[in-house]
Amino acid sequence: MQTVDEALDKLQKSAFRRKFHLSQKDREYVQEKGMDVIRSHGEDFIAKRLAPAAIPNDGKQTPMRGHPIFIAQHACACCCRGCLEKWYRVPKGRELSADEQRRIVNLLMRWIEREMNGR
């Protein structure tokens, strides 16, 4: 099993995934709310938009902007079940476990942390 940093390094090899970065507005939002609040938002978004076994608008459920978690989801290939299957071999059609959701949120938060630190 790969570590969070190994996954992020692998994602950086994708021209599509590495083009995502937090905007200044996103950075300000993270600074204003704090990482604990952003994590809470991430947990909520993943539970509602990615974890269910059947997602009616799968592939279109994650906006390309509007919240730092959304940007992180695209950068980390956690934006839809198709990307989860392709990048992490998480099969479609079954609910994500609590552990899988936790790992996804950890990955997203680490990506945001890297972005906030200029990496």
Side-chain angles (χ1 to χ4, degrees), residues 18-77:
R18 74 172 169 254
K19 76 178 182 178
F20 292 98
H21 296 283
L22 293 179
S23 69
Q24 184 59 36
K25 184 177 178 181
D26 292 325
R27 290 172 186 276
E28 291 168 2
Y29 185 80
V30 171
Q31 289 173 332
E32 174 190 328
K33 297 294 182 184
M35 293 296 270
D36 289 341
V37 170
I38 300 300
R39 176 178 289 278
S40 176
H41 293 170
E43 291 166 349
D44 186 56
F45 292 152
I46 297 307
K48 291 179 180 171
R49 296 171 178 246
L50 198 62
I55 301 168
N57 60 338
D58 192 32
K60 296 180 175 126
Q61 74 266 41
T62 306
M64 297 292 267
R65 61 181 168 269
H67 196 285
I69 290 290
F70 297 153
I71 307 306
Q73 283 184 261
H74 289 291
C76 296

